[in-house]
Amino acid sequence: NMAMTHCDLIIAIGARFDDRVTGKVSEFATQAEIVHIDIDPTSIRKTVHVDLPIVGDVRNVLRALNAELRTMRGDVSPARFPEWYEQISMWRAQHPLRGEQDGGAIKPQFAIDTIYRVTEEADPYVATGVGQHQMWSAQFYRGRKPRRWLTSGGLGTMGFGLPAAMGAQVAFPNDLVVLIDGDGSFQMSLQELATLVQYRLPVKMFIMNNQYLGMVRQWQEMFYDRNYAEVDLTVQPDFVKLAEAYGMTGLRVTDPGELEAAVRRAVDTPGPVLVDVRVAREENCYPIIPAGAAIKDILDVGDPIPASLSCKIR
């Protein structure tokens, strides 16, 4: 986000510039010239000012741009911009991702990092639902190659994860497919477990179960004075029994020290496996940008909530 804020050139290829990308539009990339490539002319300048619009099929436009680059003289490698890359490295060092595991409940960041470490050599297809687990998966499942990451992004489609994982498994029957889901998102499409068993799809499912609609709860905590409404999911199915009822293996893990063994058992067990990972209930996802703020107005762990962004409810 800081790179987007301070850069002098943005080349946007097929981007919508939706609110998840821009934040407060009037403060988005004010120092940058923007080149926008899109096949749909109505998408250009719909949201942000564009200095150079290019209407065309991305395949054809990129081929033309590459041909133009080959005729240019001079160094266009990262080595030409040492100060810029040093600045980016400084931002990374000053604001590392956090989620260290302590002796208490399983941290979801630790859980996803463990899934990553156990499965990375298999180069799996990774699907997610929508919520905090989706953000943590993007942050901590680091080893994805192109076309391995299946998520609904800013569309926010709860329930997306399980059907997406099933589709990947049908397309690549001999590869490992991992679903990282939340207990709320998973319940939007859990009936598809029947399809999973019927077609013998060996998806390995890991539910980050905090018994909350976690992202909504986090917003209610941070911006609505902890006025929690309709986010508590303590009344939920026993996911292990549910898996067994459908005829598949179900596991539950509550101890950080037992997590790696449970992940390995899930991966090594033939057929579909559902793992109920009981994580810390009120762990928050950082960094976060409040609604209506600019993308540089990032809140990290321990940062105070600006009074202008807090919706006090009496």
Side-chain angles (χ1 to χ4, degrees):
N1 284 0
M2 298 306 290
M4 290 285 284
T5 299
H6 293 282
C7 71
D8 56 18
L9 175 65
I10 294 173
I11 302 175
I13 302 173
R16 294 187 297 124
F17 289 106
D18 61 84
D19 63 337
R20 306 299 177 94
V21 171
T22 64
K24 188 176 181 179
V25 175
S26 63
E27 297 185 28
F28 174 73
T30 55
Q31 303 180 63
E33 292 189 3
I34 300 178
V35 179
H36 191 182
I37 305 167
D38 203 293
I39 199 169
D40 178 9
T42 65
S43 293
I44 295 177
R45 292 182 176 148
K46 182 172 65 176
T47 305
V48 300
H49 172 76
V50 173
D51 298 278
L52 177 58
I54 302 177
V55 178
D57 185 290
V58 163
R59 182 191 299 270
N60 298 330
V61 173
L62 290 183
R63 283 174 173 167
L65 287 175
N66 285 335
E68 187 71 21
L69 281 172
R70 282 191 287 270
T71 67
M72 294 174 59
R73 295 184 178 182
D75 182 13
V76 294
S77 70
R80 184 179 173 185
F81 310 101
E83 293 181 358
W84 178 236
Y85 280 86
E86 183 180 344
Q87 177 63 72
I88 293 174
S89 297
M90 187 180 301
W91 282 323
R92 285 190 177 127
Q94 290 173 344
H95 304 282
L97 293 174
R98 296 178 175 86
E100 296 81 5
Q101 181 62 50
D102 52 27
I106 298 172
K107 290 286 186 72
Q109 303 95 321
F110 171 74
I112 293 168
D113 180 70
T114 301
I115 296 168
Y116 163 71
R117 288 187 289 102
V118 171
T119 63
E120 62 172 320
E121 289 188 8
D123 189 23
Y125 294 86
V126 180
T128 78
V130 167
Q132 289 175 311
H133 72 276
Q134 180 187 23
M135 309 298 115
W136 284 314
S137 297
Q139 292 173 334
F140 290 93
Y141 203 102
R142 302 175 298 280
R144 297 182 300 276
K145 292 182 180 179
R147 301 180 181 89
R148 295 296 198 275
W149 175 241
L150 307 174
T151 191
S152 67
L155 294 176
T157 313
M158 293 184 71
F160 175 88
L162 180 54
M166 290 164 53
Q169 194 72 85
V170 169
F172 302 98
N174 298 319
D175 292 337
L176 176 63
V177 176
V178 170
L179 168 64
I180 301 174
D181 217 336
D183 51 314
S185 191
F186 184 73
Q187 290 186 73
M188 299 289 181
S189 55
L190 58 74
Q191 71 277 4
E192 295 300 338
L193 290 176
T195 310
L196 200 68
V197 173
Q198 180 177 353
Y199 291 97
R200 301 182 180 88
L201 303 175
V203 176
K204 312 307 179 185
M205 297 165 281
F206 299 91
I207 300 176
M208 302 296 110
N209 188 351
N210 58 11
Q211 298 182 308
Y212 270 125
L213 291 175
M215 185 59 78
V216 183
R217 183 212 59 77
Q218 178 175 342
W219 279 72
Q220 290 177 352
E221 174 193 329
M222 295 180 69
F223 307 114
Y224 291 89
D225 219 16
R226 292 182 181 267
N227 284 274
Y228 293 155
E230 312 307 325
V231 292
D232 192 291
L233 296 181
T234 49
V235 177
Q236 62 179 215
D238 182 320
F239 291 117
V240 173
K241 290 183 178 179
L242 182 68
E244 293 170 347
Y246 276 105
M248 68 177 70
T249 300
L251 307 172
R252 178 174 293 112
V253 57
T254 59
D255 187 330
E258 298 174 356
L259 180 62
E260 182 172 337
V263 175
R264 292 189 183 281
R265 180 182 171 189
V267 172
D268 293 340
T269 299
V273 180
L274 191 157
V275 184
D276 180 10
V277 184
R278 294 298 179 97
V279 297
R281 291 204 70 199
E282 296 195 353
E283 183 72 11
N284 284 342
C285 186
Y286 290 101
I288 185 172
I289 301 171
I295 62 171
K296 63 181 175 58
D297 297 330
I298 303 168
L299 297 179
D300 208 340
V301 180
D303 288 345
I305 310 298
S308 61
L309 299 175
S310 182
C311 302
K312 299 295 183 181
I313 299 176
R314 302 303 179 192

